[in-house]
Amino acid sequence: MTAPSLIFWTIFVLPLVAFLIWLMRQDKRSGWIGLIVLAITVIGAIVYTVIKNDGKQDPTTTQTQQPVK
């Protein structure tokens, strides 16, 4: 995983998911349904990303580090 994707995950995705979990836990009647839908959505997004990229980097990006000689 590259540095920009790690920054995106730590700054945006994890706090958003944590906030959504907290928000859905506040609803005592149907909070579990929301948590299940959130889990399915997050898992689906991760699976889609893995299948779409197939573990490869985007060919349009350039390598920022020079190879060690």
Side-chain angles (χ1 to χ4, degrees):
M1 201 179 293
T2 62
S5 64
L6 287 175
I7 293 169
F8 173 77
W9 277 91
T10 56
I11 292 178
F12 295 109
V13 175
L14 293 178
L16 175 65
V17 170
F19 173 71
L20 288 174
I21 289 172
W22 173 81
L23 188 64
M24 290 178 208
R25 295 278 304 182
Q26 301 302 312
D27 185 11
K28 299 297 179 191
R29 290 182 291 152
S30 61
W32 290 107
I33 295 171
L35 290 175
I36 291 170
V37 169
L38 178 64
I40 290 170
T41 304
V42 169
I43 291 170
I46 292 171
V47 168
Y48 172 77
T49 303
V50 169
I51 291 172
K52 179 79 172 157
N53 291 337
D54 196 28
K56 299 174 189 165
Q57 287 186 344
D58 187 12
T60 60
T61 59
T62 58
Q63 186 176 2
T64 57
Q65 290 182 330
Q66 298 296 324
V68 178
K69 294 183 181 181

